Amino acid sequence: MLKINLSNRMTAVAELVPSGAAACDVGCDHGFVAIHLVREGICPRVIAMDINTGPLLRAEEHIESAGLSAYIETRLSDGIEKLVPGEAECMIAAGMGGRLIVKILEDHPEKLESLRYLVLQPQSELSFVRGYLRRRRFVILRENMVYEDRKFYPMMLVETVCRGRTAAGPDAATDGPDVAGKTKNGCYDMEKWAGLADEFGPCLIRERHPVLLAYLDWWEGQQRKILKEVLDYPERRAQVEQELGRIRDVRELMGAQGKG
């Protein structure tokens, strides 16, 4: 039997996939996530998709070696171009840039509408991705964040069908967190919360995720180093001070103290 060793990052991505959902893995690379999902009984079937022939051929070899060709289909596809609506409930997109993920979602709206869940692990521009999801009124159900090989990897499970929600109803990305940070009248500054949620993750903040706290320590250290170098440049200095302010705001919401 083919042995696979998923990284901590990809194991965490797989753990976000809803049990029992048929999935399509966009940018499947070696096909290891698809194999893991079927082996662990998480998904009854998976479509492993990639835009490049080389990775897809390697995925086919691994799937065949694992004896799972009846449950995992490989497909050469640019994003979800070759996905037939109704084939999958969940799309996985991990290890690619945030703008590319949004482009994949936007390129085929009729296919996006057929998906109930998205498991996303953007490598960049998290606030852009979360802001897009919030504007579409998609719901971030769960988030996780892992630290591996000296890098931080946030990821999320998103529901595209806002059941029980109206256009003016509550939104998981903008609802105030059940943590510190209320205004004097007991309400949240919703615009401010939306910005912080987009940048740092609404569920990660609410859950006081320990890896997010570690990330805040690291990110604050990086910003303070930059601040020392831009003291004579007012515009850049203001940008850094604004980011330090956001870090303080998130710490306050999480009830956490900075390193100082």
Side-chain angles (χ1 to χ4, degrees):
M1 179 182 288
L2 177 71
K3 292 184 178 180
I4 59 173
N5 292 310
L6 284 185
S7 64
N8 292 337
R9 172 177 69 95
M10 295 312 298
T11 298
V13 167
E15 289 173 349
L16 287 176
V17 177
S19 180
C24 63
D25 183 11
V26 178
C28 66
D29 199 18
H30 296 81
F32 290 159
V33 170
I35 293 170
H36 176 84
L37 290 171
V38 173
R39 273 186 176 172
E40 297 300 315
I42 298 170
C43 295
R45 61 187 183 279
V46 179
I47 302 170
M49 312 173 84
D50 206 287
I51 192 173
N52 296 309
T53 304
L56 207 62
L57 290 174
R58 288 195 295 272
E60 288 175 356
E61 293 173 0
H62 294 146
I63 292 162
E64 185 175 351
S65 297
L68 295 175
S69 298
Y71 306 95
I72 305 172
E73 177 186 349
T74 59
R75 197 172 294 176
L76 190 66
S77 178
D78 183 357
I80 54 175
E81 179 185 9
K82 301 300 183 182
L83 180 70
V84 176
E87 284 186 310
E89 297 173 79
C90 178
M91 185 196 86
I92 304 163
M96 59 187 74
R99 288 187 183 270
L100 177 56
I101 288 177
V102 171
K103 182 179 185 298
I104 288 171
L105 297 175
E106 286 288 275
D107 277 352
H108 302 282
E110 75 288 354
K111 297 177 182 183
L112 175 58
E113 288 177 6
S114 73
L115 295 165
R116 179 174 178 179
Y117 299 108
L118 309 171
V119 173
L120 309 177
Q121 189 267 299
Q123 295 284 73
S124 62
E125 298 186 280
L126 269 294
S127 61
F128 179 81
V129 175
R130 292 193 186 104
Y132 165 80
L133 298 172
R134 176 168 52 82
R135 289 188 296 274
R136 288 293 306 264
R137 301 198 64 76
F138 292 169
V139 180
I140 298 177
L141 297 176
R142 292 173 55 201
E143 289 184 288
N144 196 2
M145 191 175 194
V146 301
Y147 181 71
E148 184 174 53
D149 297 331
R150 302 179 68 180
K151 294 181 180 179
F152 294 92
Y153 296 102
M155 58 200 70
M156 64 200 78
L157 168 62
V158 179
E159 187 173 21
T160 64
V161 182
C162 302
R163 288 174 170 77
R165 296 170 184 265
T166 65
D171 186 299
T174 55
D175 288 349
D178 186 21
V179 290
K182 289 185 178 180
T183 60
K184 291 181 180 179
N185 62 3
C187 299
Y188 295 103
D189 181 337
M190 302 308 289
E191 183 177 351
K192 181 177 182 180
W193 161 244
L196 294 174
D198 286 351
E199 185 170 357
F200 298 101
C203 300
L204 297 176
I205 294 172
R206 287 192 186 97
E207 296 168 6
R208 302 175 175 88
H209 198 288
V211 181
L212 176 58
L213 289 171
Y215 171 77
L216 292 174
D217 286 343
W218 173 81
W219 187 233
E220 181 178 355
Q222 295 297 111
Q223 295 303 300
R224 292 197 179 281
K225 289 178 184 178
I226 295 171
L227 184 62
K228 292 178 181 178
E229 298 174 358
V230 298
L231 292 176
D232 295 330
Y233 303 91
E235 184 175 348
R236 183 70 180 105
R237 176 179 177 175
Q239 292 173 344
V240 175
E241 289 176 340
Q242 185 178 39
E243 185 62 21
L244 287 169
R246 282 193 287 266
I247 294 170
R248 286 193 297 271
D249 290 338
V250 174
R251 290 190 188 281
E252 181 181 349
L253 287 170
M254 298 174 76
Q257 298 295 322
K259 288 187 173 181

